[in-house]
Amino acid sequence: MDNVALLVQIFFGAALINNFVLHYFVGICPFLGVSRRIDMAFGMGCAVTFVISIAALLSWTFTYYILRPEAPLPSWLWRLAGGDPEVQIDLSVLSYIMYIFVIASSVQFVEMYVRRFFPPLYKSFGVFLPLITTNCAILFACLEIMKHLQDPMHLWGLAEALTLAIGGGVGFTLAIVLMAGIREELELCDIPKPLQGAGITLIVAGIMAMAFMGFTGVDQGIQNFLNAMIE
Amino acid sequence: MTVFFTLTLSAVLLLLLTVAMALVLGWANQAFHVAVDPLVEAIDRVLPGANCGGCGYVGCNEYAVAVAEGKAALNLCAPGGVSCIEALAELTGQEATPALPYRAVVHCAATRDQRLPQQKPLYLGEPTCAAANLVAGFQGCTYGCLGLGDCVRACEYDAIHSIDGVAVVDYDNCIGCKACAAVCPRNIISMVPFKADRMLVVACSNPDNAAATRAVCPIGCISCSMCAKKSDLMQMENSLPIIDYNAYQDENDFALALEKCPRESLIFVGKPSPSDLEKVADEELPERVEADFQTTVDKTEWWG
């Protein structure tokens, strides 16, 4: 039950409170670029959620077994090479290049796979896939997962990592669809020329970010609620 | 020792990963290969690539797929013109059916002053047709052009402009993509097949009776039916004359109808006739003023 409470907290934390776009300001390029129409925005959100989950799965696996301090694979090789068991081998310098590498190639693979076997799916969001191969929101999710794999006492499992990714994806979809709705209404508005286009969009994004600050503390409330339920 | 080991391990790991990914992606590229019909590619090359959407498909590529599958007619591409249709016919082996160039026609010719009376209080809302169309009392005529330029903004080819408060098509630039017709909230822009350089069109959309039309417009159609009586190619529908463009041959067919029209609801659009050009031959062209973009970048339409 404790575990479930943690998962719920991670999910809402990533989706609402620490929304990737509106709290950390990562993934801004698709957020501004593809938020002109609601259906396009929803397609983009789904594609990001999909890719972010795959990236989380892969990056958790790589980080857990290879990149984190005291990871099994390098330690085993170190001992095999006859090194001192007291000394730690830390490969976390490789994390960035590894993540970018793994995300980009897995997205390429998924794109080819979807194109071959699910043509309707490819038609609906396949065109967005190449756009998000090196999206910073996805890299951010991977780094966030890495952060929680540093302390050997509190290691995240795969479930936590995937929950963070899906929560982040849902939060991104929510933010971009809201943005697209607002921008569709903005089409009818008389915006002063200097603010048209990107200007007013960034202002709206800032106001939305402030609105999302209202979710601060919701995670504590959810935790209290779940604790009360357990008791 | 530790540093050396870490470096070696990193290099070996990345190298292994690279080789593995290259193999996987290379294999996937082969295994998941989707054959694209060479015909589609060939058709795509022939199409103009403007992605204007005038054919009713999302872009040129979608239209190319539809043509290759035989689902779409060959003559839907307005920007491509006759040469494009011929090339498509050659590629697909179907018979060429050249389409006439369809061009946008605004069915209103009354300037803003003519469409008065503007009622009080004056409209001070958003300067877009879409917004002005929602409220009553923007202008006298509730059918005519609003003149706020939604079509001008929709046009990607600089082919329609709001002149004296009425949309006027520049037929040198119009490619017939229907973008203006789609955006007009009053639906007064239609596509007309241009069989000649200049075409006769009905320049009024007001279906009200004579008294009501006279009250709001000095040039609008008062549905007197004179033109329909004088020409076989015209008939009255909904108190407005309709020109049968399928039977349209020559503008001379309409000489009598034009003569009898008591208003100015039948006008020619397109290239000017030789006699018109003669009339203005001695007039000097006004000097063309080029915009100085260093000082005049602001085209703000700020009504506030």
Side-chain angles (χ1 to χ4, degrees):
Chain A
M1 201 64 200
D2 251 13
N3 203 20
V4 174
L6 179 65
L7 289 185
V8 170
Q9 206 186 344
I10 291 173
F11 181 84
F12 281 101
L16 292 177
I17 305 147
N18 298 333
N19 188 297
F20 282 15
V21 178
L22 297 172
H23 185 264
Y24 290 113
F25 286 97
V26 292
I28 291 289
C29 345
F31 180 65
L32 298 182
V34 201
S35 59
R36 245 170 247 281
R37 291 199 346 248
I38 289 179
D39 51 341
M40 297 276 278
F42 188 72
M44 186 74 195
C46 289
V48 166
T49 312
F50 182 61
V51 172
I52 218 170
S53 312
I54 290 171
L57 178 73
L58 288 171
S59 70
W60 182 86
T61 316
F62 274 89
T63 317
Y64 191 85
Y65 290 107
I66 302 174
L67 298 177
R68 74 185 166 96
E70 297 180 33
L73 183 72
S75 317
W76 178 70
L77 285 171
W78 175 240
R79 281 199 297 279
L80 208 65
D84 179 6
E86 295 292 311
V87 180
Q88 273 188 33
I89 299 296
D90 187 0
L91 288 182
S92 34
V93 281
L94 287 181
S95 52
Y96 280 78
I97 189 166
M98 205 88 150
Y99 292 155
I100 292 171
F101 191 73
V102 166
I103 295 166
S105 35
S106 63
V107 170
Q108 281 295 313
F109 183 83
V110 167
E111 192 200 346
M112 284 190 254
Y113 185 81
V114 170
R115 188 171 178 197
R116 178 77 171 81
F117 293 109
F118 307 99
L121 193 69
Y122 179 77
K123 257 194 125 158
S124 57
F125 75 69
V127 287
F128 299 119
L129 281 175
L131 290 178
I132 48 181
T133 42
T134 48
N135 184 327
C136 45
I138 289 153
L139 185 61
F140 176 79
C142 295
L143 294 175
E144 195 70 10
I145 290 164
M146 186 188 85
K147 212 168 80 186
H148 287 97
L149 286 170
Q150 297 298 313
D151 180 3
M153 299 305 294
H154 301 96
L155 282 183
W156 269 17
L158 186 58
E160 282 92 341
L162 278 179
T163 310
L164 176 91
I166 293 169
V170 169
F172 181 86
T173 312
L174 181 72
I176 196 171
V177 169
L178 284 178
M179 188 63 174
I182 295 174
R183 282 184 76 174
E184 281 189 359
E185 296 295 316
L186 277 178
E187 295 274 305
L188 291 170
C189 291
D190 181 20
I191 301 155
K193 189 85 176 182
L195 293 181
Q196 277 174 16
I200 193 73
T201 313
L202 283 171
I203 292 173
V204 169
I207 296 171
M208 275 174 74
M210 282 198 279
F212 267 66
M213 281 171 73
F215 286 115
T216 312
V218 170
D219 54 343
Q220 195 60 47
I222 290 169
Q223 204 177 24
N224 292 344
F225 173 72
L226 288 171
N227 286 341
M229 261 182 52
I230 293 161
E231 281 164 18
Chain B
M1 176 69 179
T2 320
V3 173
F4 177 71
F5 180 79
T6 311
L7 278 177
T8 320
L9 189 56
S10 307
V12 169
L13 261 178
L14 281 181
L15 202 66
L16 278 178
L17 203 61
T18 316
V19 171
M21 284 298 180
L23 284 176
V24 167
L25 285 182
W27 169 78
N29 201 16
Q30 291 276 315
F32 302 152
H33 184 66
V34 180
V36 178
D37 192 349
L39 183 59
V40 173
E41 284 178 2
I43 293 172
D44 210 16
R45 275 197 295 275
V46 168
L47 294 173
N51 290 323
C52 68
C55 52
Y57 292 87
V58 172
C60 290
N61 190 35
E62 291 246 312
Y63 180 53
V65 171
V67 169
E69 289 172 356
K71 284 181 188 161
L74 301 183
N75 56 9
L76 296 182
C77 183
V82 177
S83 64
C84 173
I85 294 163
E86 279 166 1
L88 286 182
E90 200 174 300
L91 280 171
T92 56
Q94 294 175 29
E95 205 160 304
T97 46
L100 293 160
Y102 275 76
R103 296 292 180 254
V105 164
V106 182
H107 294 287
C108 178
T111 61
R112 178 175 285 131
D113 295 337
Q114 287 171 325
R115 292 193 309 266
L116 287 177
Q118 283 202 349
Q119 289 160 13
K120 282 177 184 169
L122 286 176
Y123 175 77
L124 285 175
E126 307 292 347
T128 65
C129 302
N133 192 38
L134 298 175
V135 296
F138 176 76
Q139 64 189 19
C141 181
T142 50
Y143 303 95
C145 183
L146 291 158
L148 294 175
D150 278 12
C151 48
V152 180
R153 285 183 284 273
C155 184
E156 303 227 344
Y157 303 92
D158 194 29
I160 191 164
H161 303 99
S162 186
I163 299 172
D164 292 334
V166 59
V168 176
V169 180
D170 179 351
Y171 290 97
D172 286 340
N173 288 347
C174 182
I175 63 158
C177 72
K178 305 179 194 163
C180 51
V183 83
C184 179
R186 295 204 153 171
N187 293 321
I188 59 166
I189 303 179
S190 73
M191 307 306 290
V192 165
F194 267 57
K195 292 188 169 175
D197 280 346
R198 61 200 285 260
M199 295 290 290
L200 189 75
V201 298
V202 180
C204 183
S205 305
N206 193 331
D208 285 346
N209 62 27
T213 308
R214 273 210 179 88
V216 294
C217 185
I219 65 164
C221 174
I222 52 171
S223 38
C224 63
S225 310
M226 282 312 276
C227 50
K229 283 173 199 145
K230 293 294 172 192
S231 170
D232 296 340
L233 301 185
M234 309 185 77
Q235 53 178 346
M236 299 303 289
E237 194 180 307
N238 230 346
S239 306
L240 282 168
I242 304 287
I243 298 175
D244 181 3
Y245 286 109
N246 288 328
Y248 189 110
Q249 292 292 337
D250 198 314
E251 60 188 61
N252 296 332
D253 300 349
F254 300 96
L256 268 175
L258 271 172
E259 201 178 296
K260 288 290 177 189
C261 182
R263 309 282 275 181
E264 293 166 41
S265 299
L266 294 171
I267 57 166
F268 283 104
V269 295
K271 285 191 181 148
S273 70
S275 60
D276 288 346
L277 284 176
E278 236 168 66
K279 269 183 222 162
V280 294
D282 344 319
E283 288 178 28
E284 274 180 35
L285 271 177
E287 207 172 309
R288 197 185 161 92
V289 181
E290 294 292 338
D292 174 7
F293 285 105
Q294 281 181 332
T295 54
T296 56
V297 287
D298 193 7
K299 277 167 61 187
T300 313
E301 294 172 34
W302 181 248
W303 280 32

